Amino acid sequence: MYDMNCDIDHILVSEQQLKDKVAQLGAAISRDYTGHDLLLVSILKGAVVFMADLMRAVTIPCGIDFMVVSSYGSGTSTSGLVKIIKDLDQDLSGKDVLIVEDILDTGVTLSHLVPMLKMRNPSSVKICAILSKPSRRQADIEPDYKGFDVPDEFVVGYGLDYDEKYRNLPYVGVLKPEIYDKK
């Protein structure tokens, strides 16, 4: 029987570290947005695992919505083009929007998405990313709420994938190069 854990070189962020950080982020968001009309916006597909955990850690009323936005082709690097595949279902007027992301990598996608969302008259737009790769940043953008900085390695797990695999790993690990170099 195949075990995808064998494709992982090493674990960067353990399942327990993720749980602890999500609890901290949820507490901070709950404190900061008390009395506000909070809308959590998950960027699919990668952020779905983080979003599910984060929304349970937020102790104040909040809405949720989803977008599919891509700046990646089928490869492992950004194309620089941002495409909205699925837009939000809700009107953002007067809402405090918190974009929930799995990883802030180059920042290209969010540097285009944030101004676009601000044009829809929300009270605010901020970013919460469980992972950040500052060494890869190409756009001047940082998360307002951040879980962990990670090195410039190919990370998978906790929603992040390679070729639609590994999203269901309960930790963030570094994929062995021979897995993604063989294509």
Side-chain angles (χ1 to χ4, degrees):
M1 184 162 110
Y2 174 73
D3 181 358
M4 65 184 160
N5 291 285
C6 296
D7 295 343
I8 304 304
D9 184 70
H10 61 279
I11 294 174
L12 276 181
V13 185
S14 72
E15 184 175 4
Q16 190 59 54
Q17 288 173 302
L18 288 164
K19 286 179 181 177
D20 293 346
K21 185 59 75 173
V22 169
Q24 290 172 10
L25 291 169
I29 291 163
S30 300
R31 180 190 64 240
D32 295 349
Y33 285 96
T34 295
H36 293 257
D37 190 3
L38 177 60
L39 179 66
L40 302 176
V41 174
S42 176
I43 307 300
L44 297 174
K45 298 175 187 172
V48 70
V49 176
F50 176 41
M51 172 75 144
D53 289 346
L54 183 65
M55 62 190 259
R56 289 189 301 249
V58 169
T59 58
I60 60 169
C62 63
I64 62 169
D65 207 340
F66 301 90
M67 292 186 86
V68 178
V69 182
S70 178
S71 66
Y72 292 86
S74 58
T76 58
S77 62
T78 182
S79 66
L81 301 172
V82 176
K83 185 166 118 180
I84 295 179
I85 299 161
K86 184 224 175 283
D87 206 341
L88 297 171
D89 297 327
Q90 299 185 38
D91 178 9
L92 300 184
S93 298
K95 295 186 187 302
D96 287 285
V97 175
L98 184 60
I99 299 168
V100 178
E101 260 289 28
D102 54 354
I103 189 166
L104 181 49
D105 191 358
T106 63
V108 171
T109 300
L110 287 177
S111 71
H112 287 80
L113 183 61
V114 169
M116 186 195 80
L117 293 179
K118 285 182 175 178
M119 291 173 41
R120 300 180 186 187
N121 301 314
S123 292
S124 67
V125 177
K126 291 189 176 181
I127 300 165
C128 179
I130 192 63
L131 302 177
S132 178
K133 267 191 198 177
S135 65
R136 301 240 320 141
R137 205 79 80 240
Q138 295 174 12
D140 185 20
I141 192 163
E142 292 298 324
D144 300 279
Y145 300 90
K146 176 179 66 173
F148 303 92
D149 282 331
V150 293
D152 187 11
E153 297 183 279
F154 200 108
V155 294
V156 295
Y158 201 64
L160 291 108
D161 76 304
Y162 170 67
D163 200 23
E164 293 299 322
K165 296 176 184 76
Y166 310 103
R167 291 188 196 277
N168 54 322
L169 290 172
Y171 56 80
V172 175
V174 175
L175 194 61
K176 290 178 179 173
E178 59 265 24
I179 302 299
Y180 57 87
D181 282 343
K182 65 183 177 188
K183 282 198 167 186

